[in-house]
């Protein structure tokens, strides 16, 4: 199995704390995600700052675009994003717009299936349009209501879409093995790292667990 990637969800609102957290976990993660609240609060300058500080890391901007796909995402790809997210619920025209913007910058598009009713259909159509990553995502509010991403991950993995699958939603040390075995290629971790007494130590543990599960 190809080594799954670990994506660190940087979900603080504070610019300096976000960069400091990135510095702590950098040795153990493959992708820095600028989370949705963080990008709304800090804007494109944070993308530029992380791009300059980490030229070799993958950088995902969790725009969760809902409209004006090409227009909104284009600026973030130009600033250095490798991946931007677009909501599956936005519809195919918006998804196509983000994909068009990504192609202009030789970058990638991730579909976020959060709150999509027919996830299989949305994933299939998005992949036909050219999306490279399908994101299974139980958001923070849904997590608080007791939901998990595991059932959806199994359903989407079974489709054999031939693109990478990302999984997000409360993934922690105890569930890393399960999601790797279910077929996730990108493991997104936020609170289990930034909420730990030592984020660096938590990220190191997760790296070890992901690599062991994939071995
Ligand atoms: O995308 C996220 C959330 O919707 C806020 O934008 C989180 O970054 C994602 O859920 C990962 O964080 P954890 O669930 O805390 O691991």
């Amino acid at each position: 199995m190809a080594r799954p990637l670990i994506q660190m969800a940087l979900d603080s609102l504070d610019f300096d704390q976000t960069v400091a957290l990135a510095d702590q976990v950098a040795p153990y993660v493959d992708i820095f995600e600028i989370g949705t609240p963080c990008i709304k609060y800090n804007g494109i300058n944070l993308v530029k700052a992380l791009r300059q500080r980490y030229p070799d890391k993958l950088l995902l901007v969790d725009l969760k675009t809902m409209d004006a796909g090409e227009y909104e995402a284009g600026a973030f790809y130009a600033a250095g994003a490798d991946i931007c997210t677009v909501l599956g619920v936005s519809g195919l025209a918006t998804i196509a717009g983000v994909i068009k913007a990504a192609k202009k910058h030789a970058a990638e598009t991730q579909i976020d299936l959060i709150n999509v009713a027919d996830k299989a259909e949305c994933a299939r159509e998005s992949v036909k349009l050219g999306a490279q990553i399908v994101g299974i995502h139980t958001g923070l509010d849904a997590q608080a209501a007791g939901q998990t991403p595991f059932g959806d991950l199994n359903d989407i993995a079974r489709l054999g879409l031939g693109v990478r699958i990302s999984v997000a939603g409360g993934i922690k040390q105890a569930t890393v093995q399960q999601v790797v075995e279910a077929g996730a290629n990108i493991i997104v971790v936020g609170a289990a790292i930034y909420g730990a007494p030592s984020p660096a130590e938590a990220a190191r543990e997760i790296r070890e667990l992901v690599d062991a599960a994939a071995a």
Side-chain angles (χ1 to χ4, degrees):
M1 178 192 296
R3 190 191 202 210
L5 301 180
I6 299 175
Q7 177 172 315
M8 174 73 221
L10 300 167
D11 275 333
S12 169
L13 295 185
D14 186 278
F15 192 107
D16 293 336
Q17 278 179 20
T18 298
V19 175
L21 179 59
D23 288 347
Q24 288 175 62
V25 303
Y28 311 109
V29 308
D30 306 288
I31 305 175
F32 287 138
E33 168 195 331
I34 304 178
T36 312
C38 184
I39 194 64
K40 286 187 178 179
Y41 196 80
N42 292 291
I44 204 155
N45 285 341
L46 181 57
V47 180
K48 292 178 183 167
L50 283 176
R51 180 75 293 157
Q52 192 176 20
R53 198 171 179 90
Y54 288 103
D56 299 327
K57 280 279 184 223
L58 290 170
L59 191 54
L60 178 144
V61 182
D62 195 9
L63 291 175
K64 294 190 177 76
T65 294
M66 185 60 182
D67 189 19
E70 184 181 3
Y71 186 50
E72 178 170 282
F76 290 89
Y77 287 120
D82 297 295
I83 306 162
C84 288
T85 63
V86 54
L87 291 172
V89 294
S90 69
L92 294 182
T94 300
I95 292 169
V98 176
I99 291 169
K100 190 172 171 196
K103 281 188 179 150
K104 276 190 197 153
H105 295 276
E108 296 190 317
T109 304
Q110 175 169 320
I111 307 305
D112 187 333
L113 295 179
I114 190 168
N115 293 340
V116 170
D118 189 340
K119 292 182 173 53
E121 175 69 6
C122 179
R124 275 197 206 94
E125 292 303 314
S126 302
V127 170
K128 269 194 220 158
L129 285 176
Q132 294 90 351
I133 305 168
V134 170
I136 310 299
H137 186 190
T138 301
L140 298 173
D141 294 337
Q143 287 178 51
Q147 295 175 32
T148 71
F150 308 121
D152 291 336
L153 172 61
N154 290 332
D155 292 346
I156 296 297
R158 262 190 233 113
L159 300 176
L161 294 170
V163 296
R164 275 162 289 150
I165 298 176
S166 161
V167 64
I171 308 300
K172 53 189 176 202
Q173 285 85 337
T175 48
V176 157
Q177 183 177 354
Q178 174 183 354
V179 295
V180 172
E181 287 173 356
N185 310 100
I186 300 174
I187 320 299
V188 184
V189 186
I193 293 178
Y194 65 69
S198 165
E201 178 56 19
R204 192 192 60 74
E205 277 173 20
I206 286 174
R207 174 87 271 163
E208 277 185 14
L209 290 163
V210 166
D211 291 349

